[in-house]
Amino acid sequence: MSRFLVKSPIWRSLSGSCGLLKTSSQSLLVGRYTLNRFPTNATFSTTRLLQHGHLKKPNPGEELKITFILKDGAQKTFEVAEGETMLDIAQGHNLDMEGACGGSCACSTCHVIVDPDYYDALPEPTDEENDMLDLAYGLTETSRLGCQIKMSKDIDGIRVALPAMTRNVSASDFS
Amino acid sequence: MMNIRTLTTNIPRKRVSIIGSGPSGFYTAYHLLKKSKIPLHVTIWEKLPVPFGLSRYGVAPDHPEVKNCEETFTQCAEENIQNNGLHKFEFIGGITIGEQISLQKLISEQDAVILSYGSSGEHKLNIPGESDTKGVFTSREFVSWYNGHPDYALNPKFMDFDWSHVSKVGIIGNGNVALDISRVLLSNKIDEIWKKTDINPVAISLLQKAPISNVKIIGRRDFIHSKFTNKELRELWALERYGIRGSISSEFFDVSKFSSINDRALKRRIEICSEYMKDFSERTKASYKKYEPLELTLDGSTRTWELDYLKAPIKIDKDANGNIKQLTVRNQLLTDENKLVDDTSKSDIVYGLDLLITSIGYAGKPMKEFSSLNIKFNKDRVITKDNRVLSTSDVAFPRLYATGWIQSGSQGVIVSTMMNAFNVADTVIADLSKNDSTTNSQPIDVTNIPHTTWKDWEEINKRELDKGKQSGKPREKFLTSDSMYKHN
Ligand SMILES: Cc1cc2nc3c(=O)[nH]c(=O)nc-3n(C[C@H](O)[C@H](O)[C@H](O)COP(=O)(O)OP(=O)(O)OC[C@H]3O[C@@H](n4cnc5c(N)ncnc54)[C@H](O)[C@@H]3O)c2cc1C
Ligand code: FES
C-alpha cells in the first residue's frame, strides 16, 4: 500500500483530502499540501443512471458503483450495470475521457489511475493493453486503460482518477 | 421568450484559423469548440480537398482502429457546422495557405492563427545513388502511395517499377513507420489482411507481384535505441502464424547484457523478442502461444525479416538498367558517451537488394513567408514558447500558435498529438479571453478560389464508402484530386 501511495500522487493527495484511503503520516502531509488541488468542497454527486448514450440501465438491486475523480479534483459517482466499460461510462456522462480509437486498445487516451485498494481486484492487463500503457501520459503503477475494464461485482465501488494533463511529460518521451 | 437560435446567429464571433486538418488541427478545433465560452468561428484550412492528414494518408490501412479519431472530428464538425449554436465551424479544403491565400492575410485578419500543417518533407540520407536509382523510395512516398494520397497514388515512379523482381528488401530506420512498411511488404500476399482494408488497390496489386524473401530493418544504433513501440514490434513478430519469421542476430541481442535495464517499455521490448525467438514449445507466456507459427508461407516459400543494428549506409549502386543492385553499409560503434563512430576494425558490408526504403523521418518545412515575417524555424520545426510561435528575435509572434508535428518534429503518436493540441487550444482560449470582447477580424473571401467545403467532403466520403461496400471493403478512396472534385 505505502508503495502505491508514494508512487501515485493523486492517491497520495486523496488520502489526505478525503480520508478514504489508509493514511500514513507522510501521505497526510502530502495530502494537506495538495488540498488546493482537491478542495474540500469538491463537487460530490451521485447520479442515478439515466439512459445515457448506449449505457444500459442497471437492474434494480444490481447497481454497481464507480467514482471518477476528475482533473479538477471533483468527484462523480455513478450507478451502472455489470459489463459496462469505464470508457463507455465516462463518455455516457460527458466526462473528459477521449477514447480516440473507440475502445480498441490502440490509443491510450482512455488512461485511468485506479485506486490501489481496488487495483488487485482487476483482472491483469493483457500484453496488448500494456503495450498501449507504455505510451500513456503520467503512467503510474496502478494505471489502466478505461476501455479495457468492465464493471463487475468484484470492483463494485471502484474509484479511478482521470490523469491531469500536465506538461511534465514531453512528447519526445513517446517518439 | 426570445428565440435562442436568432440570438446566437448574430453573435459576433472571434475568428480562429487552423492551418492543416490532420489530428493536431482537428483536435485543436475540437477542444476550442468544446471549451471556449467566447463565441468562436473556427476555420480549418486544408491543402487537399479532403480532411484528416496522416490519419487518412499515414496510418496503415490495417490499423483502422487508429483512424477512429476521425469519428470524433466528424462529430465535432457536424455539431458546429450550422450557424445556430454558440460557435461556428468551417472546413475549407483544396486551398494551400502560403499559396492561394497568404499566411500574412490570415494573421492580420483573424483573431488567432494556428499552424498545424504537419511535416511536408522528409529527412534524407545524402548518400550517392539515393535520388537517381530505380527501386529506392522514401517512406513518405511509399506510405502515401499505398494509402492512396492523390499526389502519389498513381505516380509513375511506382507504376513503372518492376515489382516482380523484388525479393530482397532493405529498410533504413527502425521507427514505427519502418515497421508499418515492413509489415505491408512481408504480408503482401495475405489476402485476408488486405482485402478488408482501404489500401490503394492499384498499389496492393503491384505489390502482390513481389516474391519477397527477406526484409532487413537497418538501424544506426543498437537494439536498446530502436525507435519502434512495442505494439508495432509485437505485430511484426505475430506474422509468424503466416510463416513470416523474424530474427535478431545474437551479436545485437544478448539478454545477459540487458539485465540492468529497468525501463518498463524497454523491459517488455526485450521480453517480446526473447519469447518470439524461442521455440514455440518453450514459450512461457500464454500471449506468445496463441497461434502456432508456420515454417514456410502458404505458397511454400521462406519469408524472413531481421532487425539489423550499428550500420551506417554509405552508398547505393545500380545495375545497367538503373535499378538498385546493392547497398554498402559501414559498421558503427557506440561510445560510452552514446556517440556513433565508424568501427574501423571491420570492413564495409555490401547487401544485395532489389528495393530500398529510407525511413528516417518525415520533416517539417518552413512556409515561404516565414523569412519575410521573421518567424523562427529550426531544422524541421517551428519554434514555440508556451505554445506561442516565436519570432527570429525570440519574442512571441502576436496571435500565432503551433501544434502537432510542425511544432514537435515528426514524432509522437495520436495521443501525444492530441494532448499537445488540447494544451495549445487552452492557451488560445486564455489569450482570446484576455483581449477585450470586440473583434476586428473579418471573413476571408474564397469565392473566387476553387475549394471544397465540409458538405463536399460529406459527399466524397459517402461515395467512397458506397464504392467500398460494393467490394466488401470499409472504403475505396478516390485516387486523384480531380476525381474528388468531379463528383460534386
Ligand atoms: C506512416 C505513419 C503511420 C502512423 N501510424 C500511427 C499509428 O498507428 N498510431 C498513432 O497513434 N499514430 C500514428 N502516426 C502518427 C500520427 O499520424 C501523427 O501523430 C499525427 O498525424 C500528427 O498530426 P499533425 O496534424 O501534426 O500532422 P498531419 O497529420 O500531417 O496533418 C497536417 C495536415 O496539414 C495539411 N497541410 C500541409 N501544408 C498545408 C498548407 N500550407 N495549407 C493547408 N494545409 C496544409 C496536410 O495536407 C495535412 O492534412 C503515424 C504517422 C505516420 C507518418
Ligand atoms: S480508447 Fe483507445 S485505448 Fe482505450
Side-chain angles (χ1 to χ4, degrees), chain B residues 185-228:
Chain B
L185 287 166
L186 286 160
S187 63
N188 62 344
K189 302 213 176 179
I190 305 166
D191 250 346
E192 70 175 71
I193 297 180
W194 302 108
K195 72 174 186 222
K196 294 178 305 211
T197 71
D198 66 357
I199 194 166
N200 172 2
V202 180
I204 190 69
S205 67
L206 283 174
L207 282 173
Q208 285 184 332
K209 294 188 176 165
I212 288 163
S213 63
N214 178 263
V215 173
K216 233 188 249 305
I217 302 160
I218 306 162
R220 284 182 74 127
R221 292 175 172 264
D222 57 1
F223 176 78
I224 298 299
H225 290 90
S226 309
K227 293 219 170 90
F228 46 71

Side-chain angles (χ1 to χ4, degrees), chain A residues 95-109 126-137 139-140 163-167 171-172 174-175, chain B residues 27 30-31 34-35 65-66 68-69 72 227 229-231 234 264-265 268 271-272 285 287-288 290 387 408 411-416 418-420 422-423 426:
Chain A
L95 306 186
D96 276 341
M97 191 191 282
E98 276 317 316
C101 74
S104 319
C105 197
C107 73
S108 81
T109 59
T126 60
D127 281 334
E128 286 73 19
E129 184 178 339
N130 272 323
D131 287 350
M132 291 323 299
L133 280 171
D134 284 347
L135 306 177
Y137 270 63
L139 189 74
T140 71
M165 228 202 313
T166 57
R167 299 273 297 170
S172 61
F174 309 108
S175 65
Chain B
Y27 270 123
Y30 166 80
H31 201 72
K34 197 166 140 188
K35 298 284 174 183
E65 59 295 337
V66 177
N68 281 343
C69 59
T72 306
K227 293 219 170 90
T229 58
N230 287 336
K231 176 186 182 240
R234 191 184 300 279
R264 167 201 155 99
R268 300 181 56 258
E271 178 197 286
I272 293 170
K285 279 182 83 180
S287 59
Y288 301 100
K290 278 189 218 151
N387 302 321
S408 62
Q411 56 184 3
V413 285
I414 303 278
V415 62
S416 43
M418 179 193 89
M419 298 291 256
N420 177 257
F422 287 1
N423 215 284
D426 283 334

